[in-house]
Amino acid sequence: MKRISLTQYLVEEQRLHNTIPAELRLLIEVVARSCKTISHSVGKGALGDVLGALETENVQGEVQKKLDVISNEILLEANEWGGHLAAMASEEMETIHPIPNRYPMGEYLLVFDPLDGSSNIDVNVSIGTIFSVLKAPEGMVTPSEQDFLQPGAQQVAAGYAVYGPQTQLVLTTGHGVNCFTLDREMGSWVLTQRGMQIPPTTKEFAINMSNSRHWHAPVQRYVNELLAGDTGPRAKNFNMRWIASMVADVHRILNRGGIFMYPADMRDTSMPGKLRLMYEANPMAFIVEQAGGAATDGKQRIMDIQPHKLHQRVPVFLGSRDEVAVVTGYHAE
Ligand code: AHG
Ligand code: MN
Ligand code: MN
């Protein structure tokens, strides 16, 4: 098999579609290198003293795990000096991180969830890193949070790394979705899946069922119909898979279809869902749409939402497009 490295892929993409100028290529390669470093730490586990929690909380009021902070540091340090970015933002930082004055300033903005699936870190279950790349607005002099608040449709690239039995990087720059597997011996990313496609229909769903009593009526109805199986209104049996790492659940869906849901519920109206728009929902929506799937908040396309703050939360329904259409339709009724 002829091996195509991430670098070769990016160079050839640029020749083909003119969508990956050198600065963006550098950005993607630096993010990919950071994910390699994070993967290395994740893989050491107790031997690297990286498991467990810290005493700090992030801006979302969640207790930070050691690996949340380590991964955030790795991404910040790797991406500061290359001259490709104007600023970064992260789940683990309340405010944006402008590139320090001592480095040249680039034209891109990088947003990330450094470690997704934190509750799975200590139990050796797949976790990941999610990232989204935006262009800094024309004429921007000093980056501010406002500059990040662009709808997901304006992303120029998005991707995630999944740290599972294999470490893989899934990437889109707007011309389909490709998957690279980390060759641990060589330390290189090798293209292993081209043009990933999510089947439009599925018999598999993913949702945290323990929240069911809090769901709104359309979600109750939809999931009840799935559970009713072949004698119910959907006339087929559905299976459930829930990993509680969005990266791992989305990765399964990209490979064999399915619908992933994290709805808003009736507990706290100031908290519309759990997942964050800028660094979880938008990048995943971009990837899923590029693979022929769909992603909505129950009412509209996620990538059309105009963000109003960096850490804004959003309900998420994504995956196989026929199922996303059904549950989105129930919200409209
Ligand atoms: P994070 O670890 O970045 O805070 O995100 C975890 C998210 C997501 O990965 C997952 O789908 C969801 O939280 C699971 O949450 P619950 O177990 O609370 O339902
Ligand atoms: Mn997350
Ligand atoms: Mn996280």
Side-chain angles (χ1 to χ4, degrees), residues 58 62 68 91-92 112-118 128 276 279-280:
N58 64 16
E62 299 161 346
D68 289 325
E91 177 186 344
E92 304 304 335
F112 47 81
D113 175 355
L115 210 288
D116 174 68
S118 303
R276 280 64 46 113
Y279 42 82
E280 291 175 319

Side-chain angles (χ1 to χ4, degrees), residues 58-101:
N58 64 16
V59 58
Q60 345 262 339
E62 299 161 346
V63 175
Q64 288 181 303
K65 296 286 171 65
K66 273 192 202 169
L67 265 174
D68 289 325
V69 174
I70 293 170
S71 307
N72 193 58
E73 287 297 318
I74 289 171
L75 281 156
L76 285 182
E77 274 176 26
N79 282 285
E80 255 184 6
W81 47 268
H84 51 284
L85 286 177
M88 291 179 256
S90 157
E91 177 186 344
E92 304 304 335
M93 300 185 296
E94 182 166 3
T95 54
I96 68 159
H97 178 94
I99 297 302
N101 285 331

Side-chain angles (χ1 to χ4, degrees), residues 4-321:
I4 296 176
S5 67
L6 176 64
T7 305
Q8 184 177 353
Y9 164 80
L10 293 171
V11 168
E12 289 176 354
E13 262 305 282
Q14 165 64 5
R15 282 187 199 136
L16 226 59
H17 301 296
N18 203 26
T19 47
I20 314 184
E23 213 177 282
L24 181 59
R25 187 178 91 222
L26 176 63
L27 191 168
I28 292 169
E29 293 202 270
V30 173
V31 171
R33 196 180 311 141
S34 316
C35 293
K36 216 188 292 182
T37 311
I38 297 169
S39 173
H40 188 75
S41 278
V42 168
K44 285 214 178 295
L47 305 179
D49 195 24
V50 296
L51 303 183
L54 297 167
E55 268 155 27
T56 48
E57 281 186 0
N58 64 16
V59 58
Q60 345 262 339
E62 299 161 346
V63 175
Q64 288 181 303
K65 296 286 171 65
K66 273 192 202 169
L67 265 174
D68 289 325
V69 174
I70 293 170
S71 307
N72 193 58
E73 287 297 318
I74 289 171
L75 281 156
L76 285 182
E77 274 176 26
N79 282 285
E80 255 184 6
W81 47 268
H84 51 284
L85 286 177
M88 291 179 256
S90 157
E91 177 186 344
E92 304 304 335
M93 300 185 296
E94 182 166 3
T95 54
I96 68 159
H97 178 94
I99 297 302
N101 285 331
R102 60 184 182 279
Y103 301 120
M105 193 168 103
E107 53 180 331
Y108 294 101
L109 304 172
L110 175 65
V111 202
F112 47 81
D113 175 355
L115 210 288
D116 174 68
S118 303
S119 74
N120 284 322
I121 295 172
D122 294 344
V123 291
N124 198 11
V125 169
S126 293
I127 50 184
T129 297
I130 311 172
F131 67 95
S132 160
V133 183
L134 296 159
K135 206 76 189 269
E138 285 293 322
M140 184 197 76
V141 183
T142 316
S144 68
E145 175 169 331
Q146 194 57 38
D147 299 314
F148 283 82
L149 304 182
Q150 308 177 31
Q154 290 178 28
Q155 292 171 103
V156 294
Y160 63 78
V162 56
Y163 312 116
Q166 302 118 48
T167 288
Q168 294 186 308
L169 180 77
V170 170
L171 177 71
T172 187
T173 52
H175 287 273
V177 180
N178 294 289
C179 179
F180 302 83
T181 302
L182 180 62
D183 179 330
R184 295 181 210 259
E185 282 76 47
M186 303 297 284
S188 57
W189 294 104
V190 181
L191 180 62
T192 44
Q193 279 166 283
R194 259 190 205 276
M196 296 177 89
Q197 281 289 322
I198 301 175
T201 60
T202 182
K203 290 181 168 185
E204 219 161 58
F205 70 100
I207 192 166
N208 185 340
M209 285 293 299
S210 71
N211 296 326
S212 68
R213 69 189 184 285
H214 305 296
W215 295 338
H216 294 288
V219 181
Q220 297 269 6
R221 174 185 171 193
Y222 176 68
V223 175
N224 281 336
E225 290 183 1
L226 302 184
L227 294 174
D230 57 6
T231 55
R234 298 300 305 277
K236 62 177 180 180
N237 293 325
F238 283 80
N239 193 11
M240 196 189 89
R241 284 288 181 274
W242 174 254
I243 302 172
S245 292
M246 187 195 203
V247 163
D249 280 305
V250 169
H251 194 65
R252 181 189 61 252
I253 289 170
L254 270 177
N255 277 288
R256 67 175 192 212
I259 178 169
F260 170 91
M261 294 168 275
Y262 215 112
D265 64 38
M266 292 181 293
R267 276 173 292 187
D268 181 356
T269 45
S270 71
M271 206 173 124
K274 177 176 185 188
L275 299 174
R276 280 64 46 113
L277 176 61
M278 300 291 298
Y279 42 82
E280 291 175 319
N282 269 342
M284 290 311 201
F286 190 18
I287 292 166
V288 163
E289 284 195 10
Q290 282 295 317
T296 75
D297 68 352
K299 298 193 167 77
Q300 61 169 330
R301 184 178 175 233
I302 282 176
M303 287 204 290
D304 285 339
I305 297 172
Q306 172 61 54
H308 54 83
K309 56 179 201 217
L310 191 57
H311 298 288
Q312 168 174 351
R313 295 177 195 259
V314 66
V316 172
F317 302 86
L318 63 76
S320 294
R321 61 171 185 263

